[in-house]
Amino acid sequence: MRVGILGGGQLGWMTILEGRKLGFSFNVLESKKDSPAGRIADRWFHPSEVEEFIKESDLITYEFEHIEDDVLEKVYPKTLPSVEILKIKRSRVREKEFLRKRGYPLAKFEVSTAGELEGKVRTFGFPCVVKSERLGYDGRGQYRLSSADDVKAILKNHPPEEVFVIEEFVDFAFEASRIGVRSTEGEVRIYPTTVNYHHEGILLYNFTDETPYDEEMGRIVESLMEDLGLFGLLAVEFFITKEGKVLINEFAPRPHNTGHYTLDGTYTSQFENLLRAIAGFPLGSTELKVPSGMVNILGLSLEDIDLKGILSVEGAKLYWYGKEKRHRRKMGHVNVVAKDKETLKRKIEEVLKGIYRRPAELTRET
Ligand code: ATP
Ligand code: MG
């Protein structure tokens, strides 16, 4: 089976590493060969070679959401999850309207252009979060507003016609996610819940945990996969409010950062199950083998971190993506497993210390 991947990032890299074990080969479409997935692909294709990429791939999937329309128009007959789902996801407006129309629980939201924002946020209320409709990831294009004065900063960076979503600020008790997988043969499995901790809009670490909301989140993931007609992976990020309400923050129809722990913590990783699902193979077990978690390495090089200290934590494993260092960029991650939850939390702390020796590293511009 020759699988084509749209995008050359770390999600593609891990999909290739996992898929080779199944005997699959991989083509990657990405503007730079020198990218995590481009580097290890069987064949790398520049976007100008999209026709050849399609011809050489039996199936196509994506690891990145912001793919040009002209590429999507060409690849759609071979692509899973479908290009239609990707188009919903690429627009925060379409994503939220899709969810609202079908009655999924969401924080209150409204749509506005940058030009109309000032008036609209006044009636919407504060605090609120304003997010650009397109090209947002890792907290990009996102603003927390406590008064209408804060709109000025947005107008400096965006043209007045650009579309935004105004969202209620959710004073959540915690954030969690669940990842579902659905195969073209109709088989469905849901991965365990993880509790997720973000730093300034970017996932910093997460770990598996049991919560009173697991069933409810699982039901939502399963029903959303059906509503979307999705074959492949669906990650759903949730806010659990202080009143115990489960709200969907967003979904992603691809491997997800909060599922990296599945490489070491569950019987089958999210990456392997994505491939099994779209190839029509039986799905692998999503059961947890051992309490596990993950810490992201943001904006640091291998020289910046205490590599020996991290690797000396029993049950810690480093995944290094080999990208050029940039401020707050996801450079790698460390998976951690432990015999029980308390030990796991202690080990995550140790790994965090080994990575962010100087806590200022997290916020400093480089
Ligand atoms: P990614 O793709 O990396 O998940 P993103 O740029 O798509 O990020 P969101 O998931 O919308 O962004 O937001 C990132 C984080 O910012 C959330 O996980 C949460 O911690 C915080 N956040 C976003 N929206 C809200 C909100 N309405 N209320 C409170 N916190 C929020
Ligand atoms: Mg998110």
Side-chain angles (χ1 to χ4, degrees):
M1 181 81 65
R2 300 166 307 167
V3 176
I5 302 178
L6 304 171
Q10 63 268 15
L11 300 174
W13 176 68
M14 289 180 268
T15 305
I16 296 175
L17 293 177
E18 285 289 281
R20 289 219 162 107
K21 296 194 283 190
L22 292 171
F24 289 25
S25 64
F26 292 91
N27 299 318
V28 163
L29 189 81
E30 159 73 49
S31 54
K32 281 199 244 90
K33 179 170 183 7
D34 191 21
S35 52
R39 230 179 272 137
I40 64 159
D42 293 279
R43 275 186 78 181
W44 162 76
F45 295 83
H46 186 269
S48 61
E49 303 167 305
V50 62
E51 312 281 359
E52 183 70 6
F53 166 80
I54 296 166
K55 213 169 80 204
E56 291 299 313
S57 306
D58 302 310
L59 260 179
I60 296 172
T61 191
Y62 40 86
E63 61 100 53
F64 183 65
E65 283 151 16
H66 307 297
I67 298 156
E68 293 77 15
D69 284 325
D70 57 329
V71 170
L72 291 184
E73 259 152 48
K74 292 182 181 139
V75 298
Y76 78 89
K78 286 190 176 178
T79 302
L80 287 177
S82 75
V83 164
E84 201 39 58
I85 298 171
L86 186 61
K87 284 186 171 169
I88 295 171
K89 171 59 209 173
R90 275 193 321 171
S91 153
R92 275 194 206 279
V93 174
R94 287 195 65 187
E95 177 188 12
K96 284 185 184 290
E97 283 175 349
F98 181 93
L99 294 169
R100 181 157 70 183
K101 211 166 116 191
R102 285 162 184 77
Y104 287 98
L106 286 177
K108 188 177 85 161
F109 76 93
E110 215 174 281
V111 180
S112 170
T113 61
E116 295 165 337
L117 263 178
E118 197 173 334
K120 286 219 174 165
V121 290
R122 274 186 216 282
T123 43
F124 188 86
F126 300 100
C128 63
V129 182
V130 169
K131 302 179 179 177
S132 60
E133 181 193 13
R134 288 182 180 273
L135 300 174
Y137 66 100
D138 290 347
R140 275 172 235 214
Q142 241 184 70
Y143 305 85
R144 291 195 186 174
L145 269 54
S146 46
S147 82
D149 284 348
D150 298 338
V151 171
K152 289 189 186 81
I154 302 179
L155 287 171
K156 263 190 214 147
N157 299 332
H158 302 268
E161 64 280 7
E162 191 172 335
V163 176
F164 285 84
V165 170
I166 311 169
E167 207 176 283
E168 183 185 352
F169 178 82
V170 182
D171 186 20
F172 51 76
F174 64 94
E175 289 187 88
S177 58
R178 291 200 76 167
I179 298 171
V181 57
R182 185 167 179 256
S183 83
T184 53
E185 303 301 296
E187 211 187 333
V188 169
R189 305 223 184 189
I190 314 281
Y191 280 96
T193 300
T194 63
V195 175
N196 309 324
Y197 291 86
H198 293 78
H199 180 268
E200 294 178 358
I202 304 185
L203 182 69
L204 181 59
Y205 65 96
N206 75 327
F207 52 82
T208 55
D209 205 358
E210 281 171 13
T211 84
Y213 313 98
D214 296 347
E215 251 192 69
E216 189 175 345
M217 292 189 280
R219 275 200 307 273
I220 290 176
V221 176
E222 193 165 344
S223 126
L224 188 52
M225 289 196 293
E226 226 168 80
D227 281 349
L228 288 164
L230 177 138
F231 301 116
L233 290 174
L234 182 75
V236 184
E237 298 177 16
F238 297 96
F239 295 129
I240 313 297
T241 70
K242 292 185 173 147
E243 300 79 46
K245 267 203 275 180
V246 172
L247 302 176
I248 298 182
N249 170 25
E250 60 171 350
F251 67 77
R254 53 163 173 76
H256 196 253
N257 197 172
T258 66
H260 289 0
Y261 80 91
T262 62
L263 285 167
D264 297 293
T266 58
Y267 287 96
T268 319
S269 71
Q270 60 169 346
F271 309 100
E272 178 173 341
N273 259 340
L274 164 65
L275 296 167
R276 289 188 187 215
I278 61 177
F281 289 172
L283 295 179
S285 166
T286 53
E287 214 176 299
L288 194 65
K289 286 192 286 195
V290 57
S292 26
M294 184 241 30
V295 183
N296 266 337
I297 302 172
L298 303 173
L300 296 172
S301 69
L302 274 179
E303 293 70 41
D304 296 331
I305 65 175
D306 175 13
L307 187 58
K308 284 188 180 163
I310 294 162
L311 294 179
S312 71
V313 176
E314 187 84 5
K317 276 174 67 179
L318 174 74
Y319 294 82
W320 189 256
Y321 313 147
K323 300 195 290 194
E324 205 182 308
K325 172 168 141 176
R326 246 191 261 142
H327 179 60
R328 292 176 64 72
R329 191 177 205 193
K330 288 173 179 163
M331 302 297 293
H333 74 265
V334 177
N335 275 355
V336 188
V337 299
K339 63 180 191 310
D340 56 57
K341 204 162 84 182
E342 276 56 51
T343 318
L344 179 68
K345 284 188 183 167
R346 190 169 46 71
K347 287 181 178 180
I348 288 176
E349 286 282 325
E350 277 176 52
V351 170
L352 276 165
K353 272 190 212 129
I355 299 172
Y356 304 104
R357 287 185 282 192
R358 290 152 300 200
E361 288 290 3
L362 272 174
T363 48
R364 189 167 54 96
E365 280 289 341
T366 48

